Amino acid sequence: GPTTSNISDIFVGRCEEHVQCLQQDQCNTNTTLRGTCDQLWGTFVDAFAYKDPCQAGNDDYDAVIAAAMPHANKDESLFWSGLPKLALNNGRVTGRYTILEETLPGYIANGLTWCGQTGAPGINYNTPCPSAYSSGCANETMYTFWRAASRAFARQATGTISVALDGSRTNPPAFRNTSTFATNELPNLNTAAVTHVNILLVYDISVKGDNRRALCDKGSIKDLQTLLTDRGFTYTCIEGPRGFKFLQCAGDPDNARCVEACSFAVIP
Ligand code: NFD
């Protein structure tokens, strides 16, 4: 669609929510705002207004990210790839993990649509913003923002990091080497600060039949492990981490896979 209506109100409001810690369950991350939320909106507009939305510069959002650095505590950074529908995207439910969408820049921007136009008023509120997947739009402005945010999120990660992948998909495979995770996050991990990588292969309980399509020692996950080893990281890999199964089961408690998981509670 076009730029989200009332985006300036939403942007500043979400920024204030994060900085003032108004969403109580979401106050697990340090906020990192330099200046005010109104100033951050101004910096954000400067990054894309009056510009062709398909010709963003790679560094157009660097000032935005510098003013609102993503932050996660040691051992709590969680990257995800291919999982927006598996209970992960809004981050409220991930407890001891922090995803980009819970940090200041990710919280503000998640789910918003925006793009510029060369003519006044500089922001396109009327016609659909172009997709980064469309031809000639490799430098699409929103995706440029997410790349910048993802780079910064990866650079600040310390200790054990985790990556959650969709273990139930085959095409693309669970680890897609063209994903933001592969191209912007993995290469920006600080090899001196990150000690270990925890791969979480999440299986989708809504898939009929065998949902364990990816395994730790096979296919794309082996490729990922090779990349990690080459960069000097040790790793572990978990097939079907329980927390992510319970998250899905909370939303679909009668699913046969969930009933099974709780059978230990039946007293004979
Ligand atoms: P994904 P990922 N062009 O599930 N992140 O590894 C355009 F336009 O495949 C967060 O790529 O995982 N959009 C958000 C794309 C967006 C493209 C991007 C592309 N070539 C990255 N590829 C967000 N919250 O919106 C992917 N997308 C879009 C961070 C598409 O909307 C996350 O914190 C898709 O639903 C995570 O650590 C979404 O990006 C990692 O990068 C995710 O694609 C996930 O990127």
Side-chain angles (χ1 to χ4, degrees):
T3 299
T4 305
S5 48
N6 301 311
I7 189 170
S8 64
D9 294 338
I10 299 167
F11 186 105
V12 173
R14 285 184 176 184
C15 176
E16 292 291 349
E17 278 187 341
H18 206 276
V19 171
Q20 296 186 42
C21 218
L22 301 179
Q23 296 282 348
Q24 297 182 13
D25 59 336
Q26 201 128 12
C27 291
N28 54 353
T29 46
N30 313 14
T31 54
T32 48
L33 178 66
R34 283 197 210 153
T36 66
C37 290
D38 287 317
Q39 287 168 339
L40 187 64
W41 167 251
T43 306
F44 181 72
V45 169
D46 284 346
F48 70 93
Y50 292 99
K51 292 182 182 175
D52 179 332
C54 290
Q55 295 191 6
N58 205 39
D59 57 1
D60 277 4
Y61 289 93
D62 286 3
V64 178
I65 302 302
M69 286 292 289
H71 178 268
N73 295 329
K74 180 172 175 285
D75 300 329
E76 293 182 359
S77 295
L78 173 64
F79 301 88
W80 57 267
S81 194
L83 282 182
K85 65 181 165 42
L86 293 187
L88 239 183
N89 209 357
N90 68 25
R92 285 171 182 269
V93 284
T94 51
R96 64 205 161 91
Y97 295 120
T98 300
I99 60 175
L100 176 59
E101 291 74 9
E102 293 169 279
T103 71
L104 181 58
Y107 182 76
I108 292 172
N110 198 26
L112 300 182
T113 300
W114 69 90
C115 59
Q117 60 187 30
T118 50
I123 299 177
N124 177 359
Y125 289 105
N126 294 311
T127 59
C129 292
S131 161
Y133 298 109
S134 61
S135 70
C137 205
N139 299 316
E140 191 274 319
T141 199
M142 281 185 277
Y143 196 50
T144 300
F145 166 86
W146 285 108
R147 285 201 309 268
S150 291
R151 281 197 302 274
F153 186 56
R155 284 192 188 123
Q156 62 79 49
T158 56
T160 293
I161 63 134
S162 303
V163 54
L165 303 171
D166 182 351
S168 293
R169 74 180 190 186
T170 50
N171 189 22
F175 173 67
R176 172 172 66 91
N177 62 17
T178 54
S179 66
T180 306
F181 171 67
T183 60
N184 285 277
E185 294 178 330
L186 263 186
N188 282 301
L189 293 172
N190 179 344
T191 51
V194 173
T195 51
H196 189 77
V197 178
N198 191 16
I199 303 167
L200 304 168
L201 270 184
V202 179
Y203 298 122
D204 184 345
I205 64 166
S206 72
V207 169
K208 307 275 178 253
D210 184 14
N211 67 352
R212 299 167 78 94
R213 307 250 173 85
L215 296 170
C216 283
D217 60 358
K218 281 220 176 99
S220 72
I221 304 302
K222 266 250 118 34
D223 298 341
L224 170 56
Q225 289 173 350
T226 303
L227 286 176
L228 295 175
T229 306
D230 287 352
R231 296 208 54 213
F233 298 124
T234 58
Y235 62 81
T236 43
C237 178
I238 299 172
E239 293 166 353
R242 286 156 53 81
F244 289 89
K245 181 171 182 185
F246 291 148
L247 276 179
Q248 295 175 70
C249 287
D252 185 12
D254 296 327
N255 184 298
R257 298 181 198 275
C258 301
V259 176
E260 203 176 41
C262 291
S263 61
F264 65 85
V266 177
I267 296 158

